[in-house]
């Protein structure tokens, strides 16, 4: 452990994430994960940490929200011998879709997944790179449940604690590797 109590591996991951001030708008400090994605050991470590808590949970499907969630969710699905289901922005899936609208800071947005992607009783893990306000993941949870899936847990590389997104997600177990 380091002086701050974090594991050395967590410090390594944190060093691979850079802050981009005033992106995408003034006052926002964007957490850029592209250096972590470029680093083979860092990427592997992040995926391992996202996978570990769910190894014995009998996960059938891992979902990932567009677009950075795809990167982590598909690798976690492979580690869990589970299927992967992408959750996309509207108009990007070719078959019948289930849609979920959700609130943004200013306005609303919509996410979609194939209507046949989750079967009743499927044990589902939802993975994304970042938990901020919880809007995106809340919409994902609602879609999975509306199709009969059982949400076993949520896994994030980064959680922005000050935005309190986890409060919007109910009693679903949440695993976040890094907290800012």
């Amino acid at each position: 452990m380091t002086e701050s109590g974090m594991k050395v591996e967590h410090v390594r991951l944190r060093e691979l994430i850079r802050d981009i001030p005033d992106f995408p708008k003034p006052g926002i400090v964007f957490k850029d994960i592209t250096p972590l994605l470029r680093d083979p050991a860092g990427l592997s470590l992040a995926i391992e940490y996202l996978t570990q808590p769910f190894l014995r949970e009998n996960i059938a499907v891992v979902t990932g929200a567009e677009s950075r969630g795809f990167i982590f969710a598909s690798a976690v699905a492979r580690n869990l011998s589970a299927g992967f289901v992408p959750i996309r922005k509207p108009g990007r899936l070719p078959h019948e879709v289930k849609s979920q609208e959700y609130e943004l800071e200013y306005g609303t947005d919509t996410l979609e997944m194939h209507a046949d992607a989750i079967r009743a009783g499927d044990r589902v893990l939802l993975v994304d790179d970042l938990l901020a306000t919880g809007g995106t993941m809340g919409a994902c949870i609602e879609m999975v449940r509306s199709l009969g899936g059982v949400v076993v847990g949520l896994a994030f590389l980064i959680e922005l604690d000050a935005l309190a997104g986890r409060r919007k997600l109910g009693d679903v177990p949440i695993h976040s590797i890094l907290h800012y």
Side-chain angles (χ1 to χ4, degrees), residues 76-180:
V76 170
R78 184 245 172 235
N79 283 354
L80 295 173
S81 298
F84 168 69
V85 171
I87 297 177
R88 308 278 328 251
K89 295 176 182 173
R92 296 192 176 167
L93 292 170
H95 192 53
E96 180 185 347
V97 297
K98 172 71 177 169
S99 297
Q100 184 68 45
E101 189 173 279
Y102 64 101
E103 297 290 324
L104 297 170
E105 187 176 351
Y106 301 104
T108 62
D109 207 348
T110 303
L111 292 171
E112 296 180 340
M113 66 190 315
H114 279 141
D116 61 356
I118 304 292
R119 297 182 189 111
D122 276 350
R123 293 176 58 79
V124 182
L125 172 64
L126 287 71
V127 176
D128 207 352
D129 68 317
L130 180 76
L131 172 57
T133 64
T136 299
M137 194 53 67
C140 294
I141 290 169
E142 289 304 313
M143 272 195 296
V144 167
R145 288 180 173 162
S146 73
L147 295 172
V150 177
V151 179
V152 175
L154 311 174
F156 302 96
L157 174 65
I158 298 169
E159 182 172 346
L160 302 177
D161 296 329
L163 298 178
R166 68 173 47 228
R167 288 197 315 228
K168 293 183 181 176
L169 303 176
D171 62 353
V172 178
I174 298 173
H175 170 66
S176 299
I177 299 172
L178 301 172
H179 293 265
Y180 290 89

